[in-house]
């Protein structure tokens, strides 16, 4: 029989720091609980235990604190974001019928040791799950330790038995206490012997076996005189440390292994907790959907249960539709819910055609799927996924099941055509009220929803690419990569795997003896920042940088784009409108928004994007839109005047920062000013600015201070926007888009600082994103009305690309510039210059 015991505080701490912060709608942090459950699930799957329990520390001093006042005195208090999750975590464990063991005055380690001892006495195997190496001393024939190591986004565990421990440490598990008594433990503030580190301590134990053995042989000539002095001087601390480091398996708890035998969950209690925590995926993973039927809750009018019917809604009657993965079509309306099988849906191809007020979930993808099935559709008046995204853009996904749980308090399974259609119908009124209450109706109905049809048409159109030119580009890259490889091998004097960070690190920092810039737990870092700092130290570095650049271009673009070409010679990307927290669109499969432009070779790729025969590509690009938005939102009169006068903002900034007349601004001054201008938008630090432009930290600090002294409105904005976001819990764009930033109240300085940069940047970047979205809607509408032969193809950050017959290119360019510039009335002019050519490169 096997028992699994989790070191509750240790595991939830690892989960807290290893999982990206998450909150539910009420602002409760949930990521530590989520991570804890993932670690528990993985351990249960790997160990297949017969019994499971958890040990936690209790608040208050233990016998160790009474023995030594300094014990754990250097520990910081538990972060508030974690402390608020602890009682809920315990509620979840109780709902899972997993016993919790705690003992006042004793640590969880002692409770775990006691459990392990009792298991051994009852001939049970005990596996301890912890991130604390202290528990390794408990390992024996029956007790093993699964040591959890967490890094952001990744958690791994290593199972230690006696053999594995000996392999790593070179002695018996019990001797870990002797090791700590000599070297101490900074995390627990155990003193040890001053000046004795791990290597020396291990060497002493290898020769003399135990702490007692060390002191019994203190006069051994193999002990260096200075080391002997340290050992003699700190003998009392060594034995005190031995006492503090020893786990005492005698905590007064009532425990028998059979008490922790795995039992069925309290499904209703666990379902309700997961609902509150918004763990929709875990509801499905734990099979708790049916528990929703047992939850006795009054059904609100907005969530009225609709009857199942066989008839279809009459044309003109508003309805909700849900197209399941298997092709079945759920339709819900005021009178009831019906489901069409895939075949029935195909036969009733015109059921949605002409309808003007359909509700669905993810309009854009629904349009594509209906189109692929040959099913006609009219207009969609509401999109539940889009509404949920606007209400909280920081969520990772928006399945119907999650929205039904969060907003309706009911349970549906994704893929259930009838259940999802009914949920979507009921969600429409609830989410609309939420949008209204948040002041986001205009954002949703004037921008987000109309944009879906624009994106659908863009994705359907795609953009042509010159296959032959792309093939030649790939061959040229391969030849240059071969040349780079040969050059690198000539410098290194040996062949090795250039793509292996380990092999590359050993070559650069051991064989070639270059100065290491950064070390990681797995070896030397060879990332781009490291190579940039070393590029003047050895000619192999620029060759490696070229190799990486070339292989990236080949794999991502030459090979990647070739695979994406359709049978008609066009590439179709997917514009993600439910992903970014700022409201910006992203492009995937393939990503056409990251086509490189800064290097000459990267920019060549744009030459391969071409119009169809007889057409040109027209490219219209906003000029410095984020800085113009900053000038408007901050109300900075100096910056506004520069834009209104049509001056170059970077030159004006350089003139002010460096205190020289405009005509004396050099190209270097302008380049530095440009970095400051854009850096301010992103909340850049003096350290980062110094790195970016290659000046000292003090110079960078002077640049920023001089900048803010001249742009007083920006200085005030930077202070006010963060304070307002901290007070309200969110930041907002000019068009009402909100982004919740609970991390502003984090007790962790780094997390809080990152959140402050988000609060500073989001109103600017988000407003710019809103402007380009509105511009897309206006440009698309104007072209369809005036030049239906012209087609909007791409949106790349602040630029739009249209394909049109060559003879109307000038008129189309004029329409694009006009619509983009008139999209909103700001205190500074919006400018958008449009050009055209026979390729994307030529149109830039």
């Amino acid at each position: 029989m096997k028992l699994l015991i989790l070191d509750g505080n240790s595991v939830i701490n690892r989960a807290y720091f290893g999982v990206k912060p998450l909150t539910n709608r009420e602002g409760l942090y949930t990521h530590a609980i989520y991570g804890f459950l993932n670690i528990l699930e993985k351990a249960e799957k790997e160990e297949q235990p017969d019994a499971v329990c958890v040990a936690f520390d209790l608040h208050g001093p233990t016998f160790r604190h009474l023995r030594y006042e300094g014990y754990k005195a250097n520990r910081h208090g538990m972060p508030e974001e974690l402390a608020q999750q602890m009682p809920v975590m315990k509620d979840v464990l109780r709902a899972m019928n997993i016993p919790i063991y705690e003992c006042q005055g004793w640590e969880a380690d002692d409770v775990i040791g006691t459990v392990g001892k009792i298991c051994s006495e009852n001939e049970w195997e005990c596996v301890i799950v912890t991130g604390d190496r202290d528990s390794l001393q408990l390992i024996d024939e029956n007790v093993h330790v699964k040591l959890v190591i967490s890094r952001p986004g990744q958690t791994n565990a290593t199972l230690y038995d006696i053999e594995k421990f000996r392999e790593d440490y070179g002695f018996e598990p019990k001797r870990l206490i002797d090791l700590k008594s000599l070297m101490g433990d900074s995390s627990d503030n155990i003193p040890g012997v001053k000046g004795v580190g791990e290597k020396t301590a291990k060497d002493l134990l290898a020769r003399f076996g135990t702490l007692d053995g060390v002191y019994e042989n203190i006069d051994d000539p193999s002990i260096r005189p200075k080391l002997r002095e340290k050992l003699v001087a700190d003998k009392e601390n060594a034995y005190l440390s031995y006492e503090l480091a020893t786990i005492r398996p005698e905590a007064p708890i009532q425990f028998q292994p059979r008490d922790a035998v795995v039992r069925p969950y309290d499904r209703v209690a666990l379902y309700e907790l997961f609902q509150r925590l918004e763990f929709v995926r875990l509801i499905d993973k734990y099979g708790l959907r049916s528990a929703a039927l047992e939850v006795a809750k009054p059904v609100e009018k907005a969530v009225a249960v609709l009857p199942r019917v066989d008839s279809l809604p009459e044309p003109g009657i508003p309805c909700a539709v849900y197209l399941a993965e298997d092709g079945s079509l759920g339709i819900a309306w005021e009178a009831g819910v019906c489901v069409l099988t895939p075949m029935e849906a195909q036969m009733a191809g015109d059921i949605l055609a002409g309808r003007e007020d359909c509700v669905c979930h993810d309009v854009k993808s629904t349009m594509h799927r209906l189109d692929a099935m040959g099913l006609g559709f009219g207009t969609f008046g509401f999109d539940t996924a889009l509404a949920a995204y606007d209400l909280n853009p920081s969520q990772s996904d928006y399945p119907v099941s999650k929205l039904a749980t969060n907003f309706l308090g009911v349970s549906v399974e994704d893929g259930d055509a009838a259940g999802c259609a009914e949920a979507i119908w009921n969600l429409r009124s609830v989410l609309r009220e939420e949008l209204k209450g948040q002041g986001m109706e205009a954002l949703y109905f004037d921008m987000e929803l109309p944009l879906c049809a624009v994106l659908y048409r863009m994705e359907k159109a795609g953009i042509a690419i010159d296959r032959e030119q792309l093939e030649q580009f790939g061959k040229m890259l391969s030849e240059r990569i071969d040349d780079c490889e040969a050059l690198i091998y000539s410098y290194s004097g040996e062949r090795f795997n250039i793509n292996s960070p380990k092999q590359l690190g050993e070559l650069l920092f051991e064989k070639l003896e270059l100065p290491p810039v950064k070390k990681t737990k797995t070896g030397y870092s060879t990332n781009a920042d490291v190579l940039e700092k070393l590029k003047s130290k050895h000619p192999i570095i620029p060759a490696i940088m070229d190799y990486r650049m070339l292989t990236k271009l080949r794999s991502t673009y030459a090979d990647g784009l070739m695979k994406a070409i359709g049978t008609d010679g066009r590439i179709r990307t997917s514009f993600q409108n439910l992903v970014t927290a700022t409201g910006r669109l992203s492009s995937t499969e393939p990503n056409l928004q990251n086509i490189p432009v800064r290097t000459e070779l990267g920019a060549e790729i744009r030459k391969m994007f071409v119009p169809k025969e007889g057409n040109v590509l027209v490219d219209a690009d906003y000029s410095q839109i984020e800085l113009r938005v900053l000038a408007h939102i901050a109300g900075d009169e100096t910056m506004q005047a520069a834009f209104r006068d049509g001056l170059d903002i970077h030159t004006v900034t350089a003139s002010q920062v460096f205190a020289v007349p405009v005509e004396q601004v050099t190209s270097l001054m302008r380049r530095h000013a440009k970095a400051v201008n854009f850096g301010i938008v992103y909340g850049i630090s003096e350290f980062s600015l110094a790195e970016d432009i290659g000046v000292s930290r003090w110079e960078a600090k002077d640049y920023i201070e001089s900048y803010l002294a001249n742009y007083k409105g920006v200085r005030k904005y930077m202070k006010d926007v963060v304070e307002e976001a901290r007070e309200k819990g969110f930041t907002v764009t000019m068009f009402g888009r909100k982004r919740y930033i609970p991390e502003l109240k984090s007790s962790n300085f780094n997390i809080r600082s990152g959140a402050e940069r988000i609060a500073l940047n989001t109103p600017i970047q988000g407003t710019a994103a809103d402007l380009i979205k509105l511009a897309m809607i206006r440009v698309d509408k104007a072209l369809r009305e005036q030049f239906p032969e012209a087609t909007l193809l791409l949106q790349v950050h602040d630029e739009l690309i249209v394909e049109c017959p060559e003879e109307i290119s000038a008129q189309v360019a004029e329409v694009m510039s006009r619509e983009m510039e008139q999209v909103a009335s700001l205190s500074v002019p919006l400018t958008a210059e449009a050009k055209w050519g026979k390729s994307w490169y030529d149109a830039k």
Side-chain angles (χ1 to χ4, degrees), residues 150-316:
S150 288
R151 298 181 182 89
Q154 184 180 9
T155 299
N156 297 308
T158 302
L159 185 65
Y160 278 86
D161 55 13
I162 294 175
E163 185 178 345
K164 172 65 175 171
F165 184 90
R166 280 190 192 133
E167 180 186 324
D168 280 13
Y169 285 84
F171 46 76
E172 300 299 307
K174 202 72 176 174
R175 299 282 73 83
L176 185 66
I177 307 170
D178 302 83
L179 181 68
K180 279 202 165 190
S181 66
L182 289 166
M183 62 178 281
D185 184 346
S186 59
S187 65
D188 288 341
N189 204 34
I190 293 176
V193 176
K194 190 173 182 180
V196 173
E198 183 176 2
K199 184 178 179 181
T200 301
K202 282 185 174 180
D203 178 61
L204 288 169
L205 294 178
R207 283 185 283 151
F208 305 116
T210 64
L211 179 66
D212 286 339
V214 171
Y215 280 101
E216 286 168 2
N217 294 277
I218 194 67
D219 294 321
D220 190 292
S222 66
I223 298 178
R224 300 186 312 275
K226 285 189 177 180
L227 175 57
R228 185 181 296 111
E229 288 177 16
K230 293 174 183 177
L231 290 167
V232 171
D234 263 352
K235 181 177 181 179
E236 186 178 339
N237 272 343
Y239 278 96
L240 170 64
S241 299
Y242 188 94
E243 185 179 345
L244 295 173
T246 301
I247 293 175
R248 290 170 50 182
E250 53 201 53
I253 59 171
Q254 298 298 313
F255 168 79
Q256 286 299 320
R258 63 176 178 273
D259 298 337
V261 168
V262 174
R263 291 187 290 152
Y265 305 144
D266 182 337
R267 292 165 53 76
V268 172
L270 191 58
Y271 172 78
E272 290 186 313
L273 280 164
F274 282 179
Q275 263 200 319
R276 180 193 172 197
L277 295 168
E278 299 175 10
F279 291 168
V280 176
R281 291 187 177 180
L282 293 188
I283 288 174
D284 293 326
K285 184 181 284 188
Y286 284 64
L288 300 176
R289 287 286 169 200
S290 58
L293 302 175
E294 304 171 45
V295 180
K297 282 188 175 181
V299 179
E300 301 175 23
K301 289 182 180 180
V303 197
V305 177
L306 301 176
R308 299 297 187 267
V309 296
D310 295 326
S311 61
L312 294 173
E314 294 293 327

Side-chain angles (χ1 to χ4, degrees), residues 16 51 56 68 126 211 224 232 328 446 453 611 639 645 682 697 817:
Y16 172 77
F56 282 104
Y68 176 52
C126 177
L211 179 66
R224 300 186 312 275
V232 171
S328 57
D446 297 343
M639 191 176 286
D645 293 342
Y682 290 92
R697 185 175 174 180
S817 293

Side-chain angles (χ1 to χ4, degrees), residues 501-539:
K502 184 176 186 296
Q503 292 184 33
L504 181 60
E506 289 171 354
L507 172 83
L508 296 179
F509 306 115
E510 293 178 10
K511 181 179 178 180
L512 300 181
E513 299 182 345
L514 294 176
V517 176
K518 180 181 177 184
K519 286 201 76 171
T520 66
K521 291 184 178 180
T522 56
Y524 299 102
S525 173
T526 59
N527 65 23
D529 290 339
V530 168
L531 295 186
E532 183 66 32
K533 290 173 182 175
L534 293 173
K535 67 181 180 182
S536 62
K537 304 289 185 183
H538 195 287

Side-chain angles (χ1 to χ4, degrees), residues 564-840:
I565 301 176
T567 55
D568 60 353
R570 298 178 80 86
I571 287 179
R572 291 171 174 82
T573 187
S574 177
F575 290 102
Q576 302 296 321
N577 61 333
L578 304 173
V579 174
T580 68
T582 59
R584 295 184 73 167
L585 296 171
S586 63
S587 166
T588 60
E589 299 178 342
N591 184 353
L592 297 184
Q593 291 185 334
N594 72 341
I595 304 294
V597 293
R598 293 185 180 179
T599 64
E600 184 178 341
L601 193 58
E604 287 286 308
I605 299 169
R606 294 198 173 201
K607 291 182 179 179
M608 298 158 208
F609 289 89
V610 295
K612 61 187 177 184
E613 189 68 31
N615 283 249
V616 293
L617 295 179
V618 185
D619 186 311
D621 194 354
Y622 274 123
S623 170
Q624 300 166 341
I625 189 170
E626 290 191 349
L627 290 177
R628 292 172 189 270
V629 168
L630 173 62
H632 174 79
I633 291 179
D636 191 289
E637 295 180 1
T638 303
M639 191 176 286
Q640 288 176 359
F643 280 123
R644 281 196 295 265
D645 293 342
L647 303 177
D648 176 70
I649 190 66
H650 303 314
T651 301
V652 171
T653 299
S655 170
Q656 294 172 342
V657 167
F658 295 103
V660 298
V662 169
E663 58 272 13
Q664 293 181 21
V665 170
T666 66
S667 59
L668 180 63
M669 289 177 180
R670 184 184 183 278
R671 189 160 64 249
H672 285 182
K674 183 176 180 179
V676 178
N677 270 329
F678 286 114
I680 290 293
V681 174
Y682 290 92
I684 198 168
S685 67
E686 58 200 45
F687 177 81
S688 296
L689 179 62
E691 288 276 300
D692 288 349
I693 62 178
V695 299
S696 73
R697 185 175 174 180
W698 314 115
E699 286 178 285
K701 183 180 180 182
D702 285 344
Y703 289 170
I704 292 173
E705 288 180 351
S706 178
Y707 175 96
L708 294 175
N710 283 284
Y711 293 120
K712 294 181 174 60
V714 174
R715 182 195 288 275
K716 184 175 188 301
Y717 162 78
M718 292 174 69
K719 178 175 178 289
D720 292 349
V721 73
V722 173
E723 288 183 357
E724 184 179 352
R726 186 178 287 112
E727 179 184 337
K728 293 181 177 179
F730 62 84
T731 188
V732 63
T733 71
M734 185 176 135
F735 295 93
R737 184 186 304 280
K738 292 181 180 177
R739 179 177 182 179
Y740 292 87
I741 317 174
E743 296 85 357
L744 282 168
K745 295 183 179 179
S746 173
S747 57
N748 182 294
F749 174 79
N750 290 333
I751 293 175
R752 192 171 63 251
S753 297
E756 289 172 356
R757 287 192 293 273
I758 290 172
L760 171 67
N761 170 251
T762 295
I764 301 164
Q765 192 180 90
T767 297
D770 291 342
L771 288 168
I772 195 70
K773 283 182 173 181
L774 289 171
M776 293 169 72
I777 295 168
R778 288 180 61 122
V779 167
D780 177 77
K781 183 175 184 292
L783 292 179
R784 293 174 73 206
E785 290 175 351
Q786 301 174 43
F787 301 102
E789 319 95 298
T791 306
L792 180 60
L793 302 184
L794 292 179
Q795 179 264 339
V796 180
H797 306 310
D798 305 328
E799 66 179 296
L800 300 180
I801 296 99
V802 165
E803 182 179 58
C804 73
E806 188 169 4
E807 58 269 19
I808 60 170
S809 53
Q811 297 98 305
V812 167
E814 184 181 350
V815 168
M816 292 175 70
S817 293
R818 182 184 68 242
E819 296 300 327
M820 291 174 71
E821 291 176 351
Q822 296 179 3
V823 73
S825 178
L826 303 186
S827 54
V828 297
L830 287 173
T831 61
E833 185 180 6
K835 299 178 182 178
W836 61 90
K838 285 294 186 178
S839 72
W840 187 0

Side-chain angles (χ1 to χ4, degrees), residues 62-218:
T62 67
F63 61 86
R64 292 183 181 85
H65 294 90
L66 299 177
R67 177 70 180 84
Y68 176 52
E69 189 177 345
Y71 182 65
K72 293 189 176 180
N74 55 344
R75 290 279 184 97
H76 297 293
M78 183 181 292
E80 173 58 32
E81 300 88 339
L82 175 56
Q84 65 178 238
Q85 297 180 68
M86 290 295 286
V88 186
M89 180 74 254
K90 292 180 181 181
D91 288 342
V92 169
L93 291 171
R94 294 185 189 101
M96 296 173 75
N97 279 318
I98 294 177
I100 295 171
Y101 293 97
E102 304 164 313
C103 190
Q104 194 68 56
W106 296 71
E107 293 186 53
D109 284 349
D110 303 305
V111 173
I112 291 168
T114 305
V115 167
K117 179 181 177 183
I118 295 172
C119 281
S120 290
E121 291 170 352
N122 286 269
E123 298 184 351
W124 276 58
E125 180 184 351
C126 177
V127 177
I128 301 164
V129 180
T130 181
D132 189 348
R133 292 181 181 272
D134 290 350
S135 293
L136 294 173
Q137 65 182 270
L138 299 172
I139 295 172
D140 61 23
E141 295 296 339
N142 294 310
V143 177
H144 302 149
V145 172
K146 187 176 280 287
L147 193 66
V148 177
I149 306 296
S150 288
R151 298 181 182 89
Q154 184 180 9
T155 299
N156 297 308
T158 302
L159 185 65
Y160 278 86
D161 55 13
I162 294 175
E163 185 178 345
K164 172 65 175 171
F165 184 90
R166 280 190 192 133
E167 180 186 324
D168 280 13
Y169 285 84
F171 46 76
E172 300 299 307
K174 202 72 176 174
R175 299 282 73 83
L176 185 66
I177 307 170
D178 302 83
L179 181 68
K180 279 202 165 190
S181 66
L182 289 166
M183 62 178 281
D185 184 346
S186 59
S187 65
D188 288 341
N189 204 34
I190 293 176
V193 176
K194 190 173 182 180
V196 173
E198 183 176 2
K199 184 178 179 181
T200 301
K202 282 185 174 180
D203 178 61
L204 288 169
L205 294 178
R207 283 185 283 151
F208 305 116
T210 64
L211 179 66
D212 286 339
V214 171
Y215 280 101
E216 286 168 2
N217 294 277
I218 194 67

